[in-house]
Amino acid sequence: MTIRILPAIGDPDAARAVSSLLNQLPDAEPAPPVADSAALLHALAGAAAQGAGAPAAGAPPAAGQPSAVEALPEVVLVHERIGPTPALELIREVALRFPAVGVVLITTDAGPALFSAAMDAGARGIVGMPLGYDELAARVQAAAQWSAGVRVHLGGSPEAAPGPAGTLVTVTGAKGGVGTTVTAVQLALAARAAGRSVALVDLDLQSGDVASYLDVQFRRSVVDLAGIQDISVRVLQDAVHDHHTGLGLLLAPEEGERGEEVDDRAARQIIGALRSRYEVVLVDCGSQMQSANAAAVELADLALLVTTPDVVAVRAAKRQVRLWDRLQIRKAEDTTTVVNRLTRNTEIQPPLVAKATGTQVARTHVPAAFKELQPCVDAGRMQDLDGRSTVKQALWALAGELGLVDSPAARQGRGSHRARPTLTGRKRKAITPGAAPGSGGVPGPASGAASGAGPGSGTRFGVRRGPAAAAGGPGPFDPSGEG
């Protein structure tokens, strides 16, 4: 999101230095500096009045006008030598009249006494002279995030606010080999194809394979951010690999033992920094719980648990859910299970998975079609998976079901109703209104998200209660047992 910045600097040399650094900040839209306090107040009042539709350009913003709030810059930089109103009095005036604007003071004296006085006046931070890129970027970002939260409460549009509004999605495997990384990569590619900025993070710290699946060799990893107390924009850019698909990749370390350097505190800080810069942050958590990926699951807006429809995997999924509940990481009802490698002849169907784990099961299921994946997996180019692949169609449809892409993008790569494949990978005929049950009405992988509003779908991720769920119970393949 764009951060609008208005500098108020009377010294021409300082103004040039500040403008030069502001132009280097990503997602920043700096305005030309104003030379004195009167010009600053006039500019803010004019922006607010213009946004509110008031005829008088110098009138103060009317209370309760969301459009007036949105028209104001997110950050104002006040130089200590601004005049004629002293800097601290000017900050107090801006804070009182324009409470949705984050004010940062630029000063040569960044001591505790001035810091306390500036905070009392309403400033959101102090930047010391001579200016440094990292410090200025951190203070501007923090003030913009604070401004974003205030604007939501004042009636401003959350979509227009900068700050940490990125959606965090974690993908965890019930056990190794169930398709966790493939799911995470394809969901990230689907969100990126829909035009959203996406970061893909590999928090499978001992055995992460995101780099292998996307043919990446990059010397930086998530470990390089673990010991940094304040992750600036430039530090984050150095650690994130810009993949040619448009994804930002934060990879697991080459040496698995170094994964222990990333604890829960570091994971929270890294994820917070990524969410402030990307609209979607997808985290591959692997199948082994450590403090770092446990923190990610706890923070997640959407926590996905990937399993295959076999007894061993479903029991592992059940253990994982119980572990999260015991450690108070996440409740079962707040977890969405994705069933991978499903066939029509599988004894364990999604309703039974939902019953065994106590989680919601995504309506979109991924078919068993490893032959489609094998060439891309062996070549390490998962991004080249054919759009006709039933696996890709299902995972991109899952992205649409989860809200990671808009409806048109969710249907990208899917054919018409006649071309929609079944779980066996074969094309089926169109269903006529008079079709009898069992005459080809098995939903394909891409049809789960499109037709999930039928009877019994319940909530957004509700499970369809078909004949398989009602016919005689699980039988000898009951995964709910412990032995």
Side-chain angles (χ1 to χ4, degrees):
M1 296 293 182
T2 301
I3 302 174
R4 294 165 295 176
I5 306 170
L6 177 59
I9 304 172
D11 183 358
D13 293 335
R16 283 193 295 270
V18 170
S19 298
S20 176
L21 288 176
L22 291 179
N23 288 327
Q24 299 177 39
L25 297 180
D27 305 324
E29 187 180 285
V34 295
D36 55 51
S37 58
L40 173 62
L41 294 175
H42 180 80
L44 292 175
Q50 183 179 5
Q65 289 281 359
S67 54
V69 172
E70 294 168 12
L72 290 168
E74 285 75 30
V75 180
V76 166
L77 300 178
V78 175
H79 190 263
E80 63 178 354
R81 294 182 182 176
I82 196 74
T85 305
L88 293 181
E89 293 184 18
L90 179 60
I91 292 173
R92 185 176 290 106
E93 180 75 9
V94 172
L96 289 174
R97 292 180 58 183
F98 310 98
V101 175
V103 185
V104 176
L105 175 63
I106 301 176
T107 177
T108 55
D109 177 20
L114 181 61
F115 181 85
S116 178
M119 295 300 105
D120 291 341
R124 302 309 308 170
I126 289 182
V127 178
M129 296 279 286
L131 293 174
Y133 176 90
D134 290 341
E135 184 182 9
L136 180 63
R139 298 290 83 78
V140 167
Q141 192 74 23
Q145 292 176 7
W146 175 86
S147 175
V150 171
R151 290 172 192 230
V152 172
H153 292 290
L154 291 180
S157 172
E159 289 82 4
T167 301
L168 176 61
V169 183
T170 58
V171 184
T172 307
K175 66 180 189 66
V178 295
T180 308
T181 302
V182 171
T183 300
V185 169
Q186 287 298 327
L187 290 179
L189 291 171
R192 180 65 193 132
R196 308 185 73 179
S197 58
V198 181
L200 178 58
V201 186
D202 196 346
L203 278 186
D204 188 0
L205 296 172
Q206 291 187 349
S207 55
D209 282 325
V210 167
S212 299
Y213 275 84
L214 293 174
D215 191 22
V216 173
Q217 292 183 350
F218 191 57
R219 61 187 180 87
R220 302 264 184 201
S221 73
V222 65
V223 174
D224 294 304
L225 299 177
I228 300 176
Q229 297 296 326
D230 189 3
I231 301 176
S232 66
V233 175
R234 177 170 293 181
V235 169
L236 192 63
Q237 286 176 330
D238 289 341
V240 174
H241 173 70
D242 293 325
H243 196 253
H244 66 83
T245 58
L247 299 178
L249 303 179
L250 187 56
L251 304 172
E254 285 285 340
E255 305 84 5
E257 65 274 13
R258 295 197 63 196
E260 298 179 358
E261 300 176 28
V262 185
D263 56 11
D264 57 337
R265 181 205 59 80
R268 293 176 188 275
Q269 189 174 13
I270 292 168
I271 289 171
L274 290 169
R275 295 182 75 180
S276 69
R277 295 211 57 217
Y278 293 91
E279 295 176 86
V280 177
V281 179
L282 263 152
V283 181
D284 180 357
C285 293
S287 58
Q288 298 296 321
M289 278 294 101
Q290 300 167 337
S291 59
N293 47 25
V297 172
E298 183 180 3
L299 294 172
D301 300 303
L302 292 169
L304 304 183
L305 182 60
V306 181
T307 185
T308 49
D310 57 83
V311 173
V312 175
V314 174
R315 285 181 176 173
K318 183 177 180 180
R319 287 196 301 269
Q320 190 76 271
V321 170
R322 287 183 172 180
L323 173 65
W324 290 351
D325 185 65
R326 287 196 305 272
L327 298 179
Q328 298 182 350
I329 296 173
R330 200 169 194 91
K331 294 184 179 296
E333 56 267 26
D334 296 329
T335 303
T336 301
T337 299
V338 178
V339 181
N340 189 22
R341 301 174 194 154
L342 184 67
T343 67
R344 67 169 65 192
N345 298 321
T346 303
E347 289 285 344
I348 299 176
Q349 290 294 316
L352 184 55
V353 175
K355 180 180 178 181
T357 61
T359 62
Q360 305 177 70
V361 173
R363 294 191 301 269
T364 306
H365 317 306
V366 185
F370 183 72
K371 289 183 179 180
E372 301 174 359
L373 295 174
Q374 188 169 5
C376 294
V377 171
D378 292 343
R381 298 186 60 83
M382 187 54 61
Q383 67 272 19
D384 294 339
L385 185 61
D386 196 317
R388 294 170 296 179
S389 163
T390 57
V391 175
K392 179 175 181 177
Q393 290 175 11
L395 289 173
W396 285 43
L398 175 64
E401 179 183 340
L402 299 175
L404 300 182
V405 300
D406 298 329
S407 296
R411 293 190 291 270
Q412 183 174 346
R414 287 190 280 171
S416 64
H417 182 76
R418 291 180 180 272
R420 221 174 274 164
T422 65
L423 292 174
T424 62
R426 298 178 181 175
K427 295 182 179 179
R428 63 187 174 101
K429 297 181 179 180
I431 301 176
T432 58
S439 61
V442 180
S447 65
S451 60
S457 61
T459 62
R460 182 182 178 190
F461 303 114
V463 180
R464 283 193 254 178
R465 305 295 181 185
F477 291 91
D478 184 6
S480 61
E482 296 299 329

